[in-house]
Amino acid sequence: MTIKLFEKLSSNYIKLLENGDDFIVIIEVGKSPVIKEFKAHSAILNPAYELLFEELAEILETYLIESMAYWIHSNITQVYKTSFQNNRLKKLQQCSLIKRDDLQLEEIKIWKLIIKWGIAQNPNLPSDLENWSDENFMTLKVTLKNFLPFIRYFQISSEDVANYIMPYSQILEKKLWNDLAKKFMVPNYQVTSVIIPPRIILKQELLTMPTEILKCQRKEAHEYFKRGKFLKALELYEEILENCQHNAEDQKNASTWDFSYIKCENLNELMKALYKNTKLTSLNLYANYCGSEVGKILADVLCKSTTLTSLDLSFNKLGLEVGKALADALCKNTTLTSLNLYHNCLGSEGVKVLADSLCKNTMLTFLNLGCTELGSEGVNALANALCKNTALTSLNLSTLAYLLCKITTLTSLDLNNNNLKNQKAEGGKALADALCKNTTLTSLYLQCNNSLGSEELKALADALCKNTTLTSSSLKLCNNKLGSEERVKALADALCKNTTLTSLNLCNNELGSEGGKALANVLYKNTTLTSLNLGNNNINFKLKSNNHNIRIFQ
């Protein structure tokens, strides 16, 4: 249907130009004696925002209400204020009036929008609510005085009252807050405050955010995040997730924050955002050099978080005090399953307190304490703790091989980059002895510069003959300089006897042709290996096997 706009307006302006009355400006064009006069009328020269074209206004109101319901509800306080500046915008007044029954928003969302708007009107209010004074709350109360009476407080869940209304209880009338608090403590309590009936929530599709607005919000949130404006990014992410159109990528952006290899320049604001974030599940601060102050704040966040499941704090120089704070957090946290503390200067004392926390924590399944000066006390503390802990299944610990004799739940052990040859009693021999006794470990990683000596490798080979659980991804020994004939022969003999190992990685070990010959003999006798990696070993002939299921990489 074609819409004819301004028919009345056009005819009225033609009359104005015909009679020339009510002009307020004469514009002269040209030079004497040839001059042309143009008369400008007040109706034409009035500022645009003072002109209210009735026909256009009516169409725009209808369009906003029918097609942009989400935008109206997201900017409800702005619409409310603007619509009452001119008494002709009746439809918008009715649509945005807080006391309407069909506002199409959950009551707690209305409350959040009003609080957000009220704070925005007073930029001098402290950003942290804990720092607000009585005067600050009074300022907000005065700003919202025309909105507060129409909130339907008794239609809000007790959980939302506790989380979102209680922090601002000072802006409510004392009698109302007392009734509200008592009602949710004692459901049958007879309140004296007025209870407004619940609103009517219309079809959900009416509240759906238009695609273009959603795209803009995604882009804006990403830009805020890149610039370190985490609080603004957080607000937008949460708003996007509240909308029914959000996708898996939106969920990931809101729940997984990764600062690995890209140092976060605004750690203070990040910490503030973490306190408010109720969606975050994974935080990676690899090599951000947080230091002890930020580390303690992170520990405090961990105490309060109910969503965070993965935290990577490797290479951050956290030190002993942060280790103690994290240990305390692990005793309280009920969601974290993965914690990476690699290379953090925790020391023996820091490891001891973390070990104590493992006696109480029942959620953590992965812990990385690699490159930590454990000391004998730290080792013993971890040994005792892991005997009691029944949740931890994956562990990266320097020099803790003998713990395998006691642990009954561990399935994966990462001892990469630990130079086992030089670690005396906790080295390769102790590890081999532990493997003979352990009955749960299925994956063992010893790759990259462990420099295993002949004695260590012989002991490890002997353990492979006796161990019956190392299966699946199993054993990785790449980058260990195993090249001598004596070492390779010891390993080959063990593989001839082992009946459970399915995967073995020996790449980059300088095996040469002699080592290849020793392994060729294995391939004719071993029937369980399905994967053998011999890349970069200078073996100058192609190895073959009687086992057709095995894949050999050279």
Side-chain angles (χ1 to χ4, degrees), residues 18-37:
E18 286 175 351
N19 59 38
D21 293 334
D22 197 31
F23 61 86
I24 58 172
V25 177
I26 297 176
I27 301 173
E28 294 183 348
V29 179
K31 293 183 179 180
S32 181
V34 183
I35 297 176
K36 179 87 173 168
E37 287 187 352

Side-chain angles (χ1 to χ4, degrees), residues 72-118:
I72 290 177
H73 297 135
S74 296
N75 300 272
I76 190 168
T77 48
Q78 179 185 341
V79 174
Y80 179 88
K81 182 178 179 181
T82 303
S83 64
F84 278 91
Q85 287 177 345
N86 191 298
N87 205 35
R88 297 182 184 182
L89 297 172
K90 297 293 186 183
K91 290 184 179 180
L92 279 177
Q93 287 175 11
Q94 293 175 358
C95 176
S96 63
L97 202 58
I98 301 294
K99 61 183 180 181
R100 283 185 62 92
D101 288 332
D102 56 351
L103 193 52
Q104 302 181 37
L105 274 180
E106 295 175 16
E107 207 63 34
I108 193 59
K109 291 183 180 179
I110 298 174
W111 170 264
K112 288 180 183 179
L113 287 169
I114 287 174
I115 292 294
K116 181 179 177 181
W117 178 82

Side-chain angles (χ1 to χ4, degrees), residues 7-20:
E7 288 183 340
K8 296 179 183 177
L9 179 69
S10 301
S11 59
N12 289 338
Y13 268 81
I14 290 172
K15 291 179 180 177
L16 283 173
L17 293 173
E18 286 175 351
N19 59 38

Side-chain angles (χ1 to χ4, degrees), residues 276-295:
K276 294 186 176 182
N277 199 324
T278 58
K279 302 284 192 301
L280 193 68
T281 60
S282 177
L283 177 63
N284 189 339
L285 287 170
Y286 171 90
N288 266 271
Y289 302 101
C290 295
S292 60
E293 185 176 348
V294 172

Side-chain angles (χ1 to χ4, degrees), residues 265-388:
E265 299 293 342
N266 196 353
L267 283 171
N268 287 332
E269 177 153 336
L270 175 61
M271 295 305 106
K272 291 179 182 178
L274 291 178
Y275 276 117
K276 294 186 176 182
N277 199 324
T278 58
K279 302 284 192 301
L280 193 68
T281 60
S282 177
L283 177 63
N284 189 339
L285 287 170
Y286 171 90
N288 266 271
Y289 302 101
C290 295
S292 60
E293 185 176 348
V294 172
K296 289 178 182 177
I297 295 174
L298 278 168
D300 186 53
V301 169
L302 199 57
C303 288
K304 300 173 182 176
S305 173
T306 57
T307 58
L308 198 64
T309 59
S310 177
L311 179 60
D312 190 336
L313 295 175
S314 50
F315 291 95
N316 271 292
K317 298 182 179 179
L318 299 179
L320 172 60
E321 293 305 313
V322 176
K324 291 180 178 179
L326 286 170
D328 181 61
L330 288 176
C331 293
K332 301 174 182 177
N333 182 275
T334 58
T335 57
L336 197 71
T337 58
S338 176
L339 178 60
N340 191 341
L341 294 174
Y342 186 87
H343 209 295
N344 268 298
C345 309
L346 300 175
S348 176
E349 192 64 28
V351 172
K352 281 174 62 179
V353 293
L354 280 168
D356 290 340
S357 71
L358 292 178
C359 296
K360 302 174 184 177
N361 184 284
T362 59
M363 292 299 298
L364 207 62
T365 59
F366 171 84
L367 177 62
N368 189 340
L369 286 171
C371 282
T372 298
E373 294 297 328
L374 300 174
S376 59
E377 292 185 359
V379 169
N380 288 330
L382 276 168
N384 293 328
L386 292 173
C387 289
K388 301 174 184 177

